[in-house]
């Protein structure tokens, strides 16, 4: 991570140097345009096949910079699982680690075109882009959104939005410039990542993801992946879903999966959640999951979540049982 951090810092510092006259002319102190925020979540887990545990899932600090210039800066430093408890170990911090989740600079080239440089979330589907605990309905994450592609990359992105009738058509094209330098836990390191995402924001928001990448080892094939996602609202009901299919450059199937999720507003800021998932991966095997739960929006920035997870297949990343969490955006 340190090498990655230094490279990104150097790039961003150089770009800030180019725009120094812009913020100097507005008569305000450069530091006044920084804003600090973040989010955290904590909860309990009662897995069906292992011991109960309590945990602080993450502590994420988000630092942004923006003024009236063409430049914007965004960074997110996350402390993963800073403290947890289980029957065997008691209270422990052994699983804690720091993750530089995002660190990038945006430059507005024109009304419909922007350039991003640094470390950013991979534009693959919807969930990966909004996965922060206070922004998603459930505590558990769909398997297909985290085990088929890199969650973040270091590189360049071109993105923008153009009008289409009364709707908006958004596009993103991305290319990796520097592969990850360290491996966190059981994370798979990817390289040679490139792709694009297209979204039509309409009553039914539709997304298409195209990507190409390989794993960072000598025998890895080159993967090609296609993904489809949608979200729509029907009165008090929100429906959303994503599906991905991955194959090797020789045409062999190399993983797939999908989920369909509904969130129904029961009243008094309570929502009933239902999700069905299917997943298949050469290394992890196949699994199905169902999720039933209820989420309370305590405040606009606070979610209280309860859910039961069942299904088939044993995956450490997706334990079956009860999960309850409380998430705060600050």
């Amino acid at each position: 991570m340190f090498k990655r951090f230094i490279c990104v810092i150097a790039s961003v510092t150089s770009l800030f140097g180019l725009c120094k006259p812009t913020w100097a002319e507005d008569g305000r102190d450069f530091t006044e345009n920084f804003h600090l925020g973040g989010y955290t979540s904590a909860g309990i887990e009662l897995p069906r096949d292992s011991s109960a545990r309590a945990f602080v899932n993450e502590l994420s600090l988000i630092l942004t910079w923006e003024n009236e210039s063409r430049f914007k800066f965004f960074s997110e430093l996350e402390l993963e699982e800073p403290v947890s408890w289980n029957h065997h170990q008691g209270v422990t911090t052994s699983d804690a680690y720091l993750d530089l989740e995002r660190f990038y600079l945006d430059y507005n080239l024109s009304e419909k075109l922007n350039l991003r440089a640094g470390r950013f979330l991979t534009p693959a589907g919807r969930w990966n882009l909004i996965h922060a605990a206070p922004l998603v309905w459930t505590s558990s994450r769909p398997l297909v959104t985290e085990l088929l592609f890199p969650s973040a990359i270091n590189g360049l992105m071109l993105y923008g939005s153009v009008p289409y009738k009364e709707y908006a058509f958004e596009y993103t094209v991305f290319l990796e410039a520097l592969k990850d330098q360290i491996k966190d836990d059981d994370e798979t390191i990817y390289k040679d990542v490139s792709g694009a995402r297209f979204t039509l924001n309409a009553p039914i928001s539709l997304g298409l993801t195209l990507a190409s990448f390989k794993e960072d080892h000598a025998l890895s094939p080159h993967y090609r992946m296609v993904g489809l996602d949608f979200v729509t609202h029907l009165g008090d009901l929100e429906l959303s879903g994503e599906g991905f299919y991955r194959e090797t450059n020789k045409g062999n199937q190399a993983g797939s999966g999908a989920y369909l999720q509904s969130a129904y507003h029961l009243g008094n800021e309570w929502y009933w959640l239902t999700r069905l998932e299917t997943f298949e991966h050469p290394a992890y095997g196949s699994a199905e999951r169902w999720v039933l739960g209820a989420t309370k929006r305590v405040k606009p920035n606070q979610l209280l979540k309860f859910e039961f997870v069942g299904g088939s297949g044993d995956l450490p990343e997706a334990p079956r049982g009860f999960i309850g969490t409380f998430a705060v955006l600050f």
Side-chain angles (χ1 to χ4, degrees):
M1 178 185 293
F2 183 73
K3 291 181 180 179
R4 177 175 73 202
F5 184 77
I6 292 298
C7 290
V8 176
I9 283 284
S11 301
V12 172
T13 301
S14 299
L15 288 171
F16 267 137
L18 293 175
C19 66
K20 184 175 181 180
T22 303
W23 68 62
E25 291 171 2
D26 68 7
R28 290 180 296 175
D29 185 359
F30 167 66
T31 59
E32 292 179 1
N33 297 303
F34 278 103
H35 300 280
L36 181 65
Y39 64 90
T40 187
S41 67
I44 59 171
E45 189 176 277
L46 306 175
R48 192 177 76 177
D49 302 318
S50 58
S51 301
R53 71 186 192 102
F55 53 87
V56 175
N57 200 45
E58 75 277 293
L59 175 60
S60 178
L61 294 179
I62 296 174
L63 181 66
T64 61
W65 181 91
E66 180 179 357
N67 68 359
E68 296 178 358
S69 74
R70 292 177 178 264
F71 287 89
K72 295 180 183 178
F73 169 72
F74 186 102
S75 69
E76 179 182 0
L77 182 64
E78 190 164 282
L79 179 60
E80 297 278 0
E81 202 159 313
V83 62
S84 62
W85 172 91
N86 62 54
H87 177 71
H88 301 291
Q89 294 180 293
V91 177
T92 178
T93 58
S94 60
D95 296 325
Y97 65 93
L98 278 173
D99 182 30
L100 184 62
E101 184 119 331
R102 288 179 277 183
F103 192 97
Y104 59 78
L105 187 69
D106 283 347
Y107 182 72
N108 175 238
L109 294 164
S110 72
E111 189 175 307
K112 300 174 182 177
L113 180 63
N114 302 273
L115 172 65
R116 177 169 296 174
R119 180 166 178 80
F120 48 83
L121 298 174
T122 307
R126 296 183 66 254
W127 196 290
N128 194 58
L129 295 173
I130 59 167
H131 68 275
L135 303 180
V136 293
W137 289 116
T138 61
S139 302
S140 59
R141 178 169 175 164
L143 291 165
V144 72
T145 68
E146 63 176 340
L147 295 178
L148 282 183
F149 53 83
S151 62
I153 64 172
N154 313 302
L156 299 173
M157 175 195 295
L158 287 173
Y159 70 96
S161 177
V162 295
Y164 176 74
K165 297 182 179 179
E166 65 269 37
Y167 310 125
F169 178 76
E170 297 178 357
Y171 68 90
T172 303
V173 179
F174 54 94
L175 175 68
E176 182 187 50
L178 176 69
K179 73 177 181 67
D180 283 353
Q181 302 298 299
I182 65 168
K183 182 176 181 179
D184 296 327
D185 288 349
D186 298 323
E187 176 190 15
T188 300
I189 300 296
Y190 293 92
K191 63 180 183 179
D192 301 335
V193 184
S194 62
R197 173 171 163 77
F198 307 99
T199 306
L200 177 62
N201 288 317
I204 300 179
S205 180
L206 300 173
L208 168 67
T209 300
L210 303 171
S212 174
F213 48 85
K214 64 187 301 184
E215 296 178 10
D216 188 27
H217 59 80
L219 300 178
S220 171
H222 214 110
Y223 298 113
R224 296 181 299 227
M225 187 184 75
V226 60
L228 296 172
D229 61 85
F230 81 96
V231 62
T232 188
H233 293 84
L234 303 170
D236 290 330
L237 178 68
E238 177 190 280
L239 284 175
S240 61
E242 297 182 46
F244 292 92
Y245 178 82
R246 195 176 76 170
E247 67 177 18
T248 68
N249 53 352
K250 296 182 178 180
N252 299 321
Q253 201 267 356
S256 62
Y259 76 85
L260 179 64
Q261 178 174 283
S262 67
Y264 183 74
H265 187 202
L266 299 172
N268 197 28
E269 294 302 323
W270 279 100
Y271 296 82
W272 178 255
L273 281 303
T274 306
R275 188 169 71 231
L276 298 175
E277 301 180 44
T278 181
F279 177 74
E280 185 176 352
H281 191 284
Y284 297 102
S286 60
E288 286 74 39
R289 288 288 183 271
W290 55 260
V291 178
L292 296 176
T295 293
K296 167 75 171 178
R297 189 176 294 281
V298 182
K299 293 182 179 180
N301 64 328
Q302 299 176 10
L303 288 182
L304 180 62
K305 311 175 189 182
F306 306 97
E307 63 199 69
F308 290 92
V309 182
S312 63
D314 293 318
L315 292 175
E317 294 81 4
R320 291 163 289 178
F322 171 79
I323 307 173
T325 61
F326 182 66
V328 180
L329 185 70
F330 55 86

